[in-house]
Amino acid sequence: MSPSPALSEPFYCGCETEPEQGALLSVDGALRRALALAVPVTETERLPLDRAHGLVLAEAVRADVSLPLFDNSAMDGYAVRLADFSGDGPWRLRLAGRVAAGDAGDMPVPAGATLRIFTGAAIPPGCDAVVIQELTRQEGETIEIRRRPEPGENIRRAGEDLAFGSELLPAGRRLGPRAAALLASAGCGDVAVKRRVRIAYFSTGSELRSPGAVLAPGQIWNANRYHLAGVLDLPWIETIDMGSVPDRPDLLQQTLEQASRQADMVVTTGGVSVGDEDHMPAVLRAAGGEIHVMKVAIKPGKPLVIGRIGAARYLGLPGNPVSAFVIWHVIGMRIAQALAGIVETDPPRILVRAGFERPRRSGRCEFLPARLGSHDGHGTRTVEIATSEVSHRVALLAQADGLLLIPSETDRIQRGDMLEFLPFSDG
Ligand code: AMP
Ligand code: MG
């Protein structure tokens, strides 16, 4: 089993983890509880490299060769033997042949001779330097060299890049393009990967219709379904789209149970706060599920549910699309990654400087959609709160470059304050 993420370190603002009676649970506390539930999938399969893109390595991969495999030329030029450079130059060597990348490179070089050699070609036996072609002059079959080469000049030695037996990639690493290139260069034609995490999702709300549909009064178009379909569209996730369910407890329970039988994780949107039409907590309990987290000191998105039902983990996101997005980004994705056995789950963060001022009420850790501004010349970006002519919150989210993390105790943001920023990577 892959190592579980370090559960003792702070994740976001590091605020206290266990709430007083009745108080909200901190973001870090909620995430800690969520990750404690997220046992990585154990099933693995061996796949050819070209079918394993984006999947999670089930075991560490070690090099069973050293690289480069053989001494080879770093440049186009002439392979020479230093023994032929006695006395003062210039020296004249007879051109005895050529060796290109892919040739066996076992052609003997007679004394006083040289071979034309190209980048990547094996160094012929007995040769100990490559003189680049720019430092030579050819006259018929004779190559004139004016400067004495250094031993090993322009030769990439066998084994100098990578030692036999060294760890190429750890278990839990996603096989991205760079990782795939490394494995391919070391000759690994197939890898053991974890099976994809199955995530079932559905939206809740009697008001929801598909975009494109004609709306009756009181109805709205479903945004969250498309958000989730997008964020779950990853090689290591297998999605199960359970559609959109009206606010009817019987239908919600039926869909939830059906989803939990097929999936490692069930994600829903809407219906998790305290209104009469917020059925998900009761439905989860009625279906035999457990609630581990209910209210979190996070803005936006306070009402959310983390729990389990059968063998599946449950995440109930708020219905408000911005809240749903933020909670998915901050908590949901990390649960999914932990289930997948991905080790590096900490989302990238950069330090930025506030380009705005704002009073705020302390007590909740805030993730504010924000845009990156100019560089200050020392590598720090300023950050601006996303603003737009339309003050539509989903539009602001779509225009943002990431989420600005404002620690729970902060009661005022001053221009120039250094803050953490979680850049979006999805465009
Ligand atoms: P709820 O959490 O179900 O009370 O929903 C909170 C708000 O978000 C309400 O205004 C809902 O109409 C809205 N909402 C819920 N689900 C969605 C969705 N899938 N797409 C767009 N808006 C939604
Ligand atoms: Mg609702």
Side-chain angles (χ1 to χ4, degrees), residues 265-268 304-306 313-317 327-328 332 335:
M265 181 177 185
V266 180
V267 183
T268 64
L304 66 111
V305 175
I306 299 170
R313 287 56 166 192
Y314 173 72
L315 174 64
L317 298 170
I327 304 295
W328 175 261
I335 302 175

Side-chain angles (χ1 to χ4, degrees), residues 202-209 218-226 244 247 269-275 277-279 303 317-324 394:
F202 59 97
S203 329
T204 76
S206 299
E207 72 279 34
L208 302 176
R209 292 291 174 275
Q219 297 182 335
I220 61 169
W221 288 297
N222 187 340
N224 293 334
R225 179 154 179 241
Y226 297 86
S244 183
D247 293 313
T269 62
V272 288
S273 51
V274 291
E277 291 298 334
D278 292 318
H279 301 296
L317 298 170
N320 175 294
V322 176
S323 306
V394 184

Side-chain angles (χ1 to χ4, degrees), residues 243-331:
S244 183
V245 183
D247 293 313
R248 270 185 45 194
D250 56 335
L251 292 180
L252 291 168
Q253 183 170 339
Q254 193 185 318
T255 313
L256 180 64
E257 286 172 353
Q258 205 185 330
S260 70
R261 283 193 291 269
Q262 305 172 52
D264 303 298
M265 181 177 185
V266 180
V267 183
T268 64
T269 62
V272 288
S273 51
V274 291
D276 287 349
E277 291 298 334
D278 292 318
H279 301 296
M280 289 316 291
V283 159
L284 179 65
R285 288 201 185 93
E290 300 161 8
I291 294 180
H292 290 242
V293 172
M294 196 61 193
K295 282 190 181 149
V296 181
I298 185 168
K299 200 177 162 195
K302 179 171 71 176
L304 66 111
V305 175
I306 299 170
R308 65 192 304 164
I309 166 166
R313 287 56 166 192
Y314 173 72
L315 174 64
L317 298 170
N320 175 294
V322 176
S323 306
F325 175 86
V326 168
I327 304 295
W328 175 261
H329 199 75
V330 171
I331 294 179

